[in-house]
Structures are given as C-alpha cells and as structure tokens.
Amino acid sequence: MLSTAKTGIQPEGTGMVQQGLEGVVAASSAICFIDGLRGRMLYRGYDIHDLAVHSTFEETAWLLWHGALPGPGRLAELKERLIAGRTLRDEVLDLLRTIPHATAPMDVLRSAVSCLSAYDPDVANHSREANLRKAVRLTAQLPTVTAAWHRIVNRRDVIDPNPELGHAANFLYMLDGALPDPAHGKAFDTALILHADHELNASTFAARVTAATLSDMHSAVTSAIGTLKGPLHGGANKDVMDMLHEIGEISSAETYVREKLAAKEKIPGFGHRVYKTEDPRATRLRRLSKELGRKSGDLKWYEMSRVIEKTMMDRKGIACNVDFYSGSVYATMGIPAGLFTPVFACSRIAGWTAHLLEQYADNRIIRPVGEYTGPTEASYVPMESRPA
Ligand code: COA
C-alpha cells in the first residue's frame, strides 16, 4: 500500500488540477507578453506589429536574447556570426544522407540538433557567454539543416549558404539555388519575426523544463523540437495546407468546414489557449498572404482561407491563429508544406534559446506535483494467484 505519510500529499483527488495547466502561471519571464483579450503581443516591450514592419529577424533575435535593440555595430557583428555559423560540418551532412527519406522532417531536425551538439566547441561550457554562442550557432544551423534535408530527399545537391544574403533570403536560396524574389525574402523575414517567440507555449515550456535540470542547451532544444512537432502546436501549419489542398476549390470550403464541425473534428489553424480574440500574428500573416497572392496573380489560397475563416467565426466564434495564414504565405513563396513546421522551428529557435538563457540565469528545477487518482489499497498478488 502507498503511504501518504511519506509524501504528505493526500491520495484522493484534490480537484485542484487545471487540465492542460490552463491559466496556471508556471514561470516569470521578461521576454514575451501576450494580452489574449486584446490581441496584443510584445517582445521585450516592443509591439509585434512594429517589429514586423521595422525590424529584421536578426535584430529581433538579438532583442530576445539581450533585452534591448542592438546598435549598428552589434547587429553587424551578430550578422557575421550567423553567416559564419550557417555552414554545416561534413559529418552532419553525412548523417543526414544516411537517414531514410521517408523520415518526418521534424524528426530529422531533432536528430540533427543532437548530432550538432557532438561537434559544438562549447558543448561542455555552460557559461552565459558560451550559451549565447550556442544560441547564435543553432539559429544559424537550423535553416541549413532544413534546406539540406529538402535537397537530400529530392536527390539534389545540397546548396552552400550564400554569405551575401540575409538570414531569411539565404534560407529561400538554399532551397532551390536561385536568388529569391526580394519581396519573398522580406515576407519570409517578417514571418520569422512573427514566429520567433510566444511566451510559455508548449515547446518553450518543454525547453525550460529540460534546462531547469541543468541539462545543456542542445538537449533543451531537442525537447522543444519534439514538442513543436505535434499537430496541436507547430504541426498545425502543415495540416492547414493539407486541408486547403483537400478542399481543392473555394466553392467547397464552407461545406467542408461545416461537415468537419458536424463530425466534431477540429479545423487546423483555429483556436488558441491564450487568445480570446484575433491572434495579432494572424492579422499580419493574413495581409502577407493577400499581398503575395496578388503579386503571384493567384489569390486562391487566400480567398479559400477567408471563406474558412468566416465559416469558423459564424459557426463556432473561433478566430484563426498564427498557423492558419502562414501556410498560404509559405506555399506562395515556394516552400513545400513538409517544411512548414521545421521553418517554424527555424524561427522559434530564437525564442527558445532566449528562454533558456533566462532559465539558466535564475534556475530552480521545475518539478510540480501530480494529483494521484490511482488505488491506494492494492495488496501484492503472487503470479500463481493471478487470472491467466
Ligand atoms: N476547430 C474546431 N473547434 C475548436 C478548435 C478548432 N481548431 N479549437 C478549439 N475548438 C473548440 C473545441 O472543440 C472546444 O469546444 P467545446 O468546448 O464545445 O468542446 C473549445 O473550442 C475549446 O477547445 P480546446 O481544445 O479545449 O482548447 P485548448 O485551449 O485546450 O486547445 C488548441 C487550444 C490550439 C490546441 C486548439 O484550439 C486546437 O486544437 N486547435 C487546432 C490546432 C492548431 O491550430 N494548433 C496551433 C495552435 S497555435
């Protein structure tokens, strides 16, 4: 029999558990603020709309890591370090080439981060300076892994990073070897800014839990990638694109949504634990989806998305989230749907690592208690007395 005296915790349910930890404050953080009622979101005090218009991903990453906007010298230095960090060692590329092509890209990314730790010069150094260097390197490396994997599964040569290009444009370049349309480079940069952090989302929380045991940054990022993969989190952006393809025609969108809702199925890209109104990232991505659609002369995905959005609002009163329009934005700039969630990771790595630096700076192991709901009076039954 279990002893309650040992733990001091009552075995009977206390009724205090908030399923999914909804509304539970689990950490203090000065990185990202979300006002879910007003649809407001800030990185280090700066409104996401201002950053989307005026900043770059590189500058935003610095802001998340350091808590202030960089001056020109520091930003230039960061860009140089990101460019230097982009190139993968042959051993890492060789590992990617041995992975079966049917492997999910997020599984590849997770394995690659584990592998990258083995070659990281700071792997055993857990100082803040070393962790900052690791944060920059991981941010530089994830897009290269993602693009290299895309090339490998398509049986094409891996394209070396282009040091002349910024972080966003270089990723698009590494996918197909052509210099990207500047409008696509800018739109992708904005999308990276919008996805860079989001308070205690599930993957960031997973990363912080791992780091709080004083495990290393690569292990924490590996936890985060495994968590982001799920369809209730980052995996939803690929599901949105799959849904748009399944619907096929704009005229079928409303019926599709009605039928899914009638069958009690969820529509990917809708709903949010924190936002009770429109997700401000979705507001910007909707605009981008329309602009890029117009530019390409094909507004089909945008218009289909609008019908889905209207139907969801009419039927369920639920607004779309960051994953809904990011799908059509990425598709219009030629990013294959299978890479959407790794692309999310390429952006969120800035936020994950910022949270890890914050966790390490003021750490205590994260170890909540569970509410035990199992039996307490079970007596051991010898094998010969148990039913077959
Ligand atoms: N489609 C249809 N109904 C949805 C919905 C969706 N995408 N999201 C939430 N709902 C409904 C639920 O069915 C539930 O209705 P009910 O109370 O009548 O049963 C209610 O809204 C609350 O949803 P719940 O799943 O309990 O909310 P949550 O806070 O636990 O989960 C999400 C939040 C984001 C996981 C959830 O909205 C979801 O699964 N969305 C789809 C996946 C997605 O887009 N994820 C990316 C998030 S950025």
Side-chain angles (χ1 to χ4, degrees):
M1 176 183 147
L2 285 177
S3 157
T4 56
K6 263 191 191 162
T7 59
I9 296 167
Q10 291 298 322
E12 293 83 20
T14 61
M16 298 294 285
V17 172
Q18 193 60 35
Q19 197 184 18
L21 299 184
E22 180 168 1
V24 172
V25 177
S28 298
S29 174
I31 300 172
C32 178
F33 172 75
I34 306 173
D35 181 341
L37 293 177
R38 294 185 187 80
R40 200 161 166 245
M41 176 186 157
L42 315 173
Y43 292 160
R44 300 284 193 182
Y46 294 92
D47 194 292
I48 191 65
H49 292 294
D50 279 345
L51 293 170
V53 172
H54 301 295
S55 189
T56 60
F57 176 71
E58 290 92 326
E59 181 182 73
T60 297
W62 175 282
L63 172 67
L64 291 170
W65 292 326
H66 296 275
L69 290 170
R74 286 183 163 164
L75 182 59
E77 188 201 333
L78 173 62
K79 285 181 179 174
E80 273 175 31
R81 287 168 56 205
L82 284 168
I83 289 168
R86 283 175 188 166
T87 304
L88 299 179
R89 292 176 65 108
D90 288 344
E91 292 89 336
V92 178
L93 288 171
D94 288 345
L95 173 101
L96 293 180
R97 291 190 180 98
T98 63
I99 298 177
H101 288 182
T103 308
M106 283 298 275
D107 295 349
V108 173
L109 196 62
R110 192 194 56 220
S111 304
V113 169
S114 289
C115 177
L116 286 165
S117 77
Y119 299 105
D120 195 290
D122 287 310
V123 70
N125 185 345
H126 304 301
S127 66
R128 178 174 164 84
E129 293 67 33
N131 279 331
L132 264 166
R133 289 194 293 273
K134 284 184 257 188
V136 173
R137 274 196 290 274
L138 281 162
T139 303
Q141 290 161 334
L142 260 56
T144 315
V145 170
T146 303
W149 177 248
H150 171 66
R151 301 287 299 182
I152 289 167
V153 288
N154 287 291
R155 299 178 198 286
R156 300 173 74 187
D157 290 340
V158 171
I159 294 169
D160 290 336
N162 183 338
E164 303 300 318
L165 297 175
H167 193 75
N170 175 60
F171 174 72
L172 298 177
Y173 168 77
M174 289 189 297
L175 285 182
D176 66 6
L179 286 178
D181 178 334
H184 287 178
K186 173 74 186 123
F188 187 54
D189 191 53
T190 305
L192 291 178
I193 293 170
L194 296 173
H195 287 81
D197 194 44
H198 209 228
E199 201 222 41
L200 270 204
N201 61 93
S203 56
T204 301
F205 188 54
R208 287 188 78 132
V209 169
T210 304
T213 68
L214 295 185
S215 185
D216 64 288
M217 187 172 264
H218 285 81
S219 297
V221 169
T222 307
S223 298
I225 292 173
T227 309
L228 185 70
K229 179 186 171 190
L232 296 187
H233 190 8
N237 59 8
K238 178 185 179 298
D239 293 347
V240 168
M241 207 59 222
D242 292 346
M243 171 177 74
L244 298 185
H245 280 290
E246 193 185 333
I247 294 172
E249 295 304 325
I250 300 168
S251 56
S252 312
E254 184 177 341
T255 310
Y256 177 95
V257 174
R258 283 168 180 262
E259 285 175 2
K260 288 282 174 192
L261 292 180
K264 303 268 177 237
E265 287 184 39
K266 280 187 171 173
I267 304 296
F270 284 84
H272 200 274
R273 176 58 66 77
V274 181
Y275 291 114
K276 302 303 167 209
T277 182
E278 179 152 303
D279 179 338
R281 303 165 301 172
T283 314
R284 297 225 73 89
L285 287 162
R286 183 192 295 109
R287 263 181 235 170
L288 273 183
S289 172
K290 187 174 183 181
E291 279 167 26
L292 293 177
R294 262 203 194 128
K295 192 170 177 301
S296 72
D298 184 1
L299 280 164
K300 178 176 164 182
W301 296 138
Y302 170 76
E303 281 168 5
M304 188 184 287
S305 302
R306 290 297 282 165
V307 175
I308 298 170
E309 216 188 334
K310 185 174 181 315
T311 313
M312 278 299 280
M313 195 40 83
D314 291 348
R315 309 289 296 183
K316 294 282 286 187
I318 297 179
C320 63
N321 59 48
V322 68
D323 290 314
F324 189 58
Y325 280 100
S326 62
S328 49
V329 165
Y330 294 153
T332 310
M333 58 181 69
I335 300 175
L339 297 188
F340 287 2
T341 315
V343 161
F344 194 156
C346 291
S347 167
R348 187 56 59 84
I349 183 69
W352 289 334
T353 48
H355 278 266
L356 294 174
L357 291 164
E358 191 179 56
Q359 183 68 40
Y360 289 129
D362 185 16
N363 187 62
R364 193 168 181 217
I365 191 166
I366 298 173
R367 201 302 190 187
V369 290
E371 181 191 41
Y372 180 70
T373 58
T376 57
E377 305 292 340
S379 298
Y380 188 79
V381 182
M383 183 66 79
E384 57 278 16
S385 309
R386 295 179 213 164

